[in-house]
PDB file of all heavy atoms in Angstrom:
ATOM      1  N   ARG A1140      12.987  -8.206  19.430  1.00 89.00           N
ATOM      2  CA  ARG A1140      12.497  -9.550  19.753  1.00 89.00           C
ATOM      3  C   ARG A1140      12.298  -9.721  21.258  1.00 89.00           C
ATOM      4  O   ARG A1140      11.466 -10.513  21.696  1.00 89.00           O
ATOM      5  CB  ARG A1140      13.482 -10.607  19.224  1.00 89.00           C
ATOM      6  CG  ARG A1140      13.625 -10.616  17.714  1.00 89.00           C
ATOM      7  CD  ARG A1140      14.454 -11.807  17.254  1.00 89.00           C
ATOM      8  NE  ARG A1140      14.706 -11.726  15.822  1.00 89.00           N
ATOM      9  CZ  ARG A1140      15.906 -11.680  15.269  1.00 89.00           C
ATOM     10  NH1 ARG A1140      16.993 -11.706  16.036  1.00 89.00           N
ATOM     11  NH2 ARG A1140      16.055 -11.618  13.965  1.00 89.00           N
ATOM     12  N   LYS A1141      13.101  -8.972  22.035  1.00 91.00           N
ATOM     13  CA  LYS A1141      12.999  -9.070  23.494  1.00 91.00           C
ATOM     14  C   LYS A1141      12.171  -7.945  24.107  1.00 91.00           C
ATOM     15  O   LYS A1141      11.660  -8.080  25.222  1.00 91.00           O
ATOM     16  CB  LYS A1141      14.409  -9.025  24.109  1.00 91.00           C
ATOM     17  CG  LYS A1141      15.282 -10.201  23.755  1.00 91.00           C
ATOM     18  CD  LYS A1141      16.718  -9.996  24.170  1.00 91.00           C
ATOM     19  CE  LYS A1141      17.439  -9.073  23.204  1.00 91.00           C
ATOM     20  NZ  LYS A1141      18.900  -8.995  23.474  1.00 91.00           N
ATOM     21  N   GLN A1142      12.066  -6.817  23.400  1.00 95.00           N
ATOM     22  CA  GLN A1142      11.448  -5.619  23.991  1.00 95.00           C
ATOM     23  C   GLN A1142      10.342  -5.034  23.107  1.00 95.00           C
ATOM     24  O   GLN A1142      10.124  -3.834  23.099  1.00 95.00           O
ATOM     25  CB  GLN A1142      12.524  -4.562  24.237  1.00 95.00           C
ATOM     26  CG  GLN A1142      13.552  -4.949  25.275  1.00 95.00           C
ATOM     27  CD  GLN A1142      12.987  -4.925  26.685  1.00 95.00           C
ATOM     28  OE1 GLN A1142      12.068  -4.183  26.990  1.00 95.00           O
ATOM     29  NE2 GLN A1142      13.542  -5.749  27.557  1.00 95.00           N
ATOM     30  N   ARG A1143       9.650  -5.886  22.412  1.00 96.00           N
ATOM     31  CA  ARG A1143       8.613  -5.429  21.482  1.00 96.00           C
ATOM     32  C   ARG A1143       7.522  -4.632  22.205  1.00 96.00           C
ATOM     33  O   ARG A1143       7.017  -5.044  23.241  1.00 96.00           O
ATOM     34  CB  ARG A1143       8.003  -6.642  20.771  1.00 96.00           C
ATOM     35  CG  ARG A1143       7.031  -6.282  19.663  1.00 96.00           C
ATOM     36  CD  ARG A1143       6.525  -7.541  18.956  1.00 96.00           C
ATOM     37  NE  ARG A1143       5.798  -7.137  17.757  1.00 96.00           N
ATOM     38  CZ  ARG A1143       6.375  -6.929  16.585  1.00 96.00           C
ATOM     39  NH1 ARG A1143       7.680  -7.090  16.447  1.00 96.00           N
ATOM     40  NH2 ARG A1143       5.662  -6.561  15.535  1.00 96.00           N
ATOM     41  N   GLU A1144       7.194  -3.464  21.659  1.00 97.00           N
ATOM     42  CA  GLU A1144       6.107  -2.619  22.153  1.00 97.00           C
ATOM     43  C   GLU A1144       6.182  -2.417  23.661  1.00 97.00           C
ATOM     44  O   GLU A1144       5.185  -2.563  24.379  1.00 97.00           O
ATOM     45  CB  GLU A1144       4.758  -3.191  21.715  1.00 97.00           C
ATOM     46  CG  GLU A1144       4.652  -3.202  20.185  1.00 97.00           C
ATOM     47  CD  GLU A1144       3.296  -3.606  19.630  1.00 97.00           C
ATOM     48  OE1 GLU A1144       2.627  -4.443  20.267  1.00 97.00           O
ATOM     49  OE2 GLU A1144       2.932  -3.091  18.562  1.00 97.00           O
ATOM     50  N   SER A1145       7.374  -2.036  24.148  1.00 97.00           N
ATOM     51  CA  SER A1145       7.565  -1.863  25.595  1.00 97.00           C
ATOM     52  C   SER A1145       8.032  -0.458  25.987  1.00 97.00           C
ATOM     53  O   SER A1145       8.284  -0.214  27.162  1.00 97.00           O
ATOM     54  CB  SER A1145       8.585  -2.889  26.110  1.00 97.00           C
ATOM     55  OG  SER A1145       9.850  -2.698  25.523  1.00 97.00           O
ATOM     56  N   PHE A1146       8.122   0.461  25.006  1.00 98.00           N
ATOM     57  CA  PHE A1146       8.612   1.811  25.301  1.00 98.00           C
ATOM     58  C   PHE A1146       7.518   2.863  25.128  1.00 98.00           C
ATOM     59  O   PHE A1146       6.725   2.803  24.188  1.00 98.00           O
ATOM     60  CB  PHE A1146       9.795   2.164  24.399  1.00 98.00           C
ATOM     61  CG  PHE A1146      11.049   1.407  24.730  1.00 98.00           C
ATOM     62  CD1 PHE A1146      11.325   0.192  24.123  1.00 98.00           C
ATOM     63  CD2 PHE A1146      11.939   1.887  25.678  1.00 98.00           C
ATOM     64  CE1 PHE A1146      12.473  -0.523  24.435  1.00 98.00           C
ATOM     65  CE2 PHE A1146      13.090   1.197  26.000  1.00 98.00           C
ATOM     66  CZ  PHE A1146      13.363  -0.021  25.379  1.00 98.00           C
ATOM     67  N   ASP A1147       7.521   3.840  26.029  1.00 98.00           N
ATOM     68  CA  ASP A1147       6.591   4.963  25.916  1.00 98.00           C
ATOM     69  C   ASP A1147       7.004   5.884  24.765  1.00 98.00           C
ATOM     70  O   ASP A1147       6.152   6.466  24.094  1.00 98.00           O
ATOM     71  CB  ASP A1147       6.583   5.781  27.221  1.00 98.00           C
ATOM     72  CG  ASP A1147       6.152   4.950  28.413  1.00 98.00           C
ATOM     73  OD1 ASP A1147       4.978   4.532  28.440  1.00 98.00           O
ATOM     74  OD2 ASP A1147       6.981   4.706  29.298  1.00 98.00           O
ATOM     75  N   THR A1148       8.317   6.024  24.575  1.00 98.00           N
ATOM     76  CA  THR A1148       8.848   6.903  23.539  1.00 98.00           C
ATOM     77  C   THR A1148      10.047   6.241  22.874  1.00 98.00           C
ATOM     78  O   THR A1148      10.881   5.641  23.565  1.00 98.00           O
ATOM     79  CB  THR A1148       9.327   8.249  24.135  1.00 98.00           C
ATOM     80  OG1 THR A1148       8.338   8.769  25.013  1.00 98.00           O
ATOM     81  CG2 THR A1148       9.610   9.255  23.037  1.00 98.00           C
ATOM     82  N   VAL A1149      10.130   6.355  21.557  1.00 98.00           N
ATOM     83  CA  VAL A1149      11.317   5.916  20.823  1.00 98.00           C
ATOM     84  C   VAL A1149      11.776   7.065  19.945  1.00 98.00           C
ATOM     85  O   VAL A1149      10.976   7.635  19.184  1.00 98.00           O
ATOM     86  CB  VAL A1149      11.042   4.659  19.968  1.00 98.00           C
ATOM     87  CG1 VAL A1149      12.263   4.311  19.116  1.00 98.00           C
ATOM     88  CG2 VAL A1149      10.668   3.471  20.860  1.00 98.00           C
ATOM     89  N   SER A1150      13.037   7.432  20.071  1.00 97.00           N
ATOM     90  CA  SER A1150      13.590   8.533  19.286  1.00 97.00           C
ATOM     91  C   SER A1150      14.700   8.023  18.383  1.00 97.00           C
ATOM     92  O   SER A1150      15.269   6.949  18.607  1.00 97.00           O
ATOM     93  CB  SER A1150      14.150   9.619  20.212  1.00 97.00           C
ATOM     94  OG  SER A1150      15.255   9.108  20.935  1.00 97.00           O
ATOM     95  N   ALA A1151      15.033   8.804  17.374  1.00 95.00           N
ATOM     96  CA  ALA A1151      16.163   8.495  16.493  1.00 95.00           C
ATOM     97  C   ALA A1151      16.564   9.766  15.771  1.00 95.00           C
ATOM     98  O   ALA A1151      15.718  10.569  15.383  1.00 95.00           O
ATOM     99  CB  ALA A1151      15.791   7.412  15.489  1.00 95.00           C
ATOM    100  N   ARG A1152      17.869   9.937  15.603  1.00 93.00           N
ATOM    101  CA  ARG A1152      18.405  11.134  14.948  1.00 93.00           C
ATOM    102  C   ARG A1152      19.535  10.724  14.011  1.00 93.00           C
ATOM    103  O   ARG A1152      20.455  10.014  14.412  1.00 93.00           O
ATOM    104  CB  ARG A1152      18.921  12.114  16.010  1.00 93.00           C
ATOM    105  CG  ARG A1152      19.613  13.377  15.480  1.00 93.00           C
ATOM    106  CD  ARG A1152      20.037  14.211  16.673  1.00 93.00           C
ATOM    107  NE  ARG A1152      20.663  15.474  16.315  1.00 93.00           N
ATOM    108  CZ  ARG A1152      21.987  15.691  16.355  1.00 93.00           C
ATOM    109  NH1 ARG A1152      22.810  14.715  16.704  1.00 93.00           N
ATOM    110  NH2 ARG A1152      22.481  16.874  16.051  1.00 93.00           N
ATOM    111  N   ALA A1153      19.441  11.168  12.762  1.00 75.00           N
ATOM    112  CA  ALA A1153      20.502  10.939  11.773  1.00 75.00           C
ATOM    113  C   ALA A1153      20.835   9.453  11.619  1.00 75.00           C
ATOM    114  O   ALA A1153      21.993   9.055  11.607  1.00 75.00           O
ATOM    115  CB  ALA A1153      21.756  11.726  12.152  1.00 75.00           C
ATOM    116  N   VAL A1154      19.786   8.617  11.499  1.00 75.00           N
ATOM    117  CA  VAL A1154      19.997   7.172  11.364  1.00 75.00           C
ATOM    118  C   VAL A1154      19.705   6.692   9.946  1.00 75.00           C
ATOM    119  O   VAL A1154      20.535   6.042   9.327  1.00 75.00           O
ATOM    120  CB  VAL A1154      19.135   6.385  12.380  1.00 75.00           C
ATOM    121  CG1 VAL A1154      19.274   4.881  12.144  1.00 75.00           C
ATOM    122  CG2 VAL A1154      19.550   6.727  13.805  1.00 75.00           C
ATOM    123  N   ALA A1155      18.515   6.995   9.423  1.00 84.00           N
ATOM    124  CA  ALA A1155      18.123   6.497   8.103  1.00 84.00           C
ATOM    125  C   ALA A1155      16.925   7.289   7.597  1.00 84.00           C
ATOM    126  O   ALA A1155      16.297   8.042   8.343  1.00 84.00           O
ATOM    127  CB  ALA A1155      17.757   5.008   8.186  1.00 84.00           C
ATOM    128  N   ASN A1156      16.627   7.112   6.322  1.00 91.00           N
ATOM    129  CA  ASN A1156      15.421   7.696   5.750  1.00 91.00           C
ATOM    130  C   ASN A1156      14.209   7.203   6.536  1.00 91.00           C
ATOM    131  O   ASN A1156      14.180   6.060   6.999  1.00 91.00           O
ATOM    132  CB  ASN A1156      15.304   7.306   4.274  1.00 91.00           C
ATOM    133  CG  ASN A1156      14.112   7.947   3.601  1.00 91.00           C
ATOM    134  OD1 ASN A1156      12.985   7.468   3.702  1.00 91.00           O
ATOM    135  ND2 ASN A1156      14.357   9.042   2.923  1.00 91.00           N
ATOM    136  N   LEU A1157      13.189   8.035   6.680  1.00 95.00           N
ATOM    137  CA  LEU A1157      12.068   7.735   7.558  1.00 95.00           C
ATOM    138  C   LEU A1157      11.332   6.448   7.195  1.00 95.00           C
ATOM    139  O   LEU A1157      10.880   5.719   8.088  1.00 95.00           O
ATOM    140  CB  LEU A1157      11.094   8.916   7.587  1.00 95.00           C
ATOM    141  CG  LEU A1157       9.993   8.876   8.638  1.00 95.00           C
ATOM    142  CD1 LEU A1157      10.563   8.666  10.037  1.00 95.00           C
ATOM    143  CD2 LEU A1157       9.163  10.145   8.591  1.00 95.00           C
ATOM    144  N   SER A1158      11.220   6.133   5.912  1.00 93.00           N
ATOM    145  CA  SER A1158      10.525   4.901   5.508  1.00 93.00           C
ATOM    146  C   SER A1158      11.242   3.664   6.033  1.00 93.00           C
ATOM    147  O   SER A1158      10.611   2.653   6.351  1.00 93.00           O
ATOM    148  CB  SER A1158      10.406   4.841   3.983  1.00 93.00           C
ATOM    149  OG  SER A1158       9.587   5.880   3.506  1.00 93.00           O
ATOM    150  N   VAL A1159      12.563   3.727   6.112  1.00 94.00           N
ATOM    151  CA  VAL A1159      13.376   2.638   6.677  1.00 94.00           C
ATOM    152  C   VAL A1159      13.358   2.718   8.198  1.00 94.00           C
ATOM    153  O   VAL A1159      13.142   1.724   8.899  1.00 94.00           O
ATOM    154  CB  VAL A1159      14.825   2.712   6.147  1.00 94.00           C
ATOM    155  CG1 VAL A1159      15.734   1.736   6.897  1.00 94.00           C
ATOM    156  CG2 VAL A1159      14.857   2.442   4.652  1.00 94.00           C
ATOM    157  N   LEU A1160      13.582   3.903   8.710  1.00 95.00           N
ATOM    158  CA  LEU A1160      13.677   4.125  10.155  1.00 95.00           C
ATOM    159  C   LEU A1160      12.416   3.691  10.890  1.00 95.00           C
ATOM    160  O   LEU A1160      12.482   3.125  11.988  1.00 95.00           O
ATOM    161  CB  LEU A1160      13.944   5.612  10.410  1.00 95.00           C
ATOM    162  CG  LEU A1160      14.223   6.040  11.845  1.00 95.00           C
ATOM    163  CD1 LEU A1160      15.491   5.379  12.380  1.00 95.00           C
ATOM    164  CD2 LEU A1160      14.337   7.556  11.931  1.00 95.00           C
ATOM    165  N   ALA A1161      11.274   3.945  10.293  1.00 96.00           N
ATOM    166  CA  ALA A1161       9.999   3.608  10.933  1.00 96.00           C
ATOM    167  C   ALA A1161       9.924   2.135  11.288  1.00 96.00           C
ATOM    168  O   ALA A1161       9.486   1.769  12.387  1.00 96.00           O
ATOM    169  CB  ALA A1161       8.842   3.987  10.013  1.00 96.00           C
ATOM    170  N   GLU A1162      10.374   1.272  10.375  1.00 96.00           N
ATOM    171  CA  GLU A1162      10.278  -0.163  10.631  1.00 96.00           C
ATOM    172  C   GLU A1162      11.258  -0.618  11.718  1.00 96.00           C
ATOM    173  O   GLU A1162      11.041  -1.630  12.366  1.00 96.00           O
ATOM    174  CB  GLU A1162      10.500  -0.958   9.343  1.00 96.00           C
ATOM    175  CG  GLU A1162      10.113  -2.418   9.477  1.00 96.00           C
ATOM    176  CD  GLU A1162      10.077  -3.169   8.157  1.00 96.00           C
ATOM    177  OE1 GLU A1162      10.068  -2.521   7.080  1.00 96.00           O
ATOM    178  OE2 GLU A1162      10.071  -4.413   8.200  1.00 96.00           O
ATOM    179  N   LEU A1163      12.330   0.153  11.919  1.00 95.00           N
ATOM    180  CA  LEU A1163      13.297  -0.167  12.962  1.00 95.00           C
ATOM    181  C   LEU A1163      12.833   0.316  14.338  1.00 95.00           C
ATOM    182  O   LEU A1163      13.263  -0.220  15.360  1.00 95.00           O
ATOM    183  CB  LEU A1163      14.649   0.493  12.639  1.00 95.00           C
ATOM    184  CG  LEU A1163      15.328   0.082  11.332  1.00 95.00           C
ATOM    185  CD1 LEU A1163      16.576   0.920  11.104  1.00 95.00           C
ATOM    186  CD2 LEU A1163      15.656  -1.402  11.339  1.00 95.00           C
ATOM    187  N   CYS A1164      11.968   1.321  14.349  1.00 97.00           N
ATOM    188  CA  CYS A1164      11.601   1.971  15.613  1.00 97.00           C
ATOM    189  C   CYS A1164      10.179   1.712  16.089  1.00 97.00           C
ATOM    190  O   CYS A1164       9.959   1.443  17.280  1.00 97.00           O
ATOM    191  CB  CYS A1164      11.800   3.488  15.478  1.00 97.00           C
ATOM    192  SG  CYS A1164      13.511   4.001  15.232  1.00 97.00           S
ATOM    193  N   VAL A1165       9.204   1.821  15.204  1.00 98.00           N
ATOM    194  CA  VAL A1165       7.796   1.747  15.622  1.00 98.00           C
ATOM    195  C   VAL A1165       7.459   0.431  16.332  1.00 98.00           C
ATOM    196  O   VAL A1165       6.683   0.441  17.303  1.00 98.00           O
ATOM    197  CB  VAL A1165       6.850   2.008  14.430  1.00 98.00           C
ATOM    198  CG1 VAL A1165       5.396   1.822  14.847  1.00 98.00           C
ATOM    199  CG2 VAL A1165       7.062   3.423  13.887  1.00 98.00           C
ATOM    200  N   PRO A1166       8.030  -0.731  15.931  1.00 97.00           N
ATOM    201  CA  PRO A1166       7.718  -1.962  16.664  1.00 97.00           C
ATOM    202  C   PRO A1166       8.131  -1.936  18.136  1.00 97.00           C
ATOM    203  O   PRO A1166       7.615  -2.723  18.936  1.00 97.00           O
ATOM    204  CB  PRO A1166       8.510  -3.034  15.892  1.00 97.00           C
ATOM    205  CG  PRO A1166       8.597  -2.500  14.496  1.00 97.00           C
ATOM    206  CD  PRO A1166       8.798  -1.022  14.691  1.00 97.00           C
ATOM    207  N   LEU A1167       9.032  -1.037  18.515  1.00 98.00           N
ATOM    208  CA  LEU A1167       9.452  -0.930  19.912  1.00 98.00           C
ATOM    209  C   LEU A1167       8.476  -0.097  20.748  1.00 98.00           C
ATOM    210  O   LEU A1167       8.471  -0.187  21.978  1.00 98.00           O
ATOM    211  CB  LEU A1167      10.837  -0.276  20.006  1.00 98.00           C
ATOM    212  CG  LEU A1167      12.036  -1.125  19.577  1.00 98.00           C
ATOM    213  CD1 LEU A1167      13.264  -0.244  19.397  1.00 98.00           C
ATOM    214  CD2 LEU A1167      12.312  -2.220  20.603  1.00 98.00           C
TER     215      LEU A1167
END
């Protein structure tokens, strides 16, 4: 909500299945 679409790269490891993880990460 504060940092939407503000990162050049977003990474994640061992967090969740990709279909879930995508919605947590791609908006950033």
Side-chain angles (χ1 to χ4, degrees):
R1140 297 188 186 121
K1141 295 170 283 188
Q1142 294 288 332
R1143 187 177 190 87
E1144 298 186 327
S1145 63
F1146 289 90
D1147 300 294
T1148 313
V1149 175
S1150 65
R1152 176 180 182 258
V1154 175
N1156 183 278
L1157 190 54
S1158 295
V1159 171
L1160 186 62
E1162 193 169 345
L1163 299 175
C1164 295
V1165 176
L1167 287 166

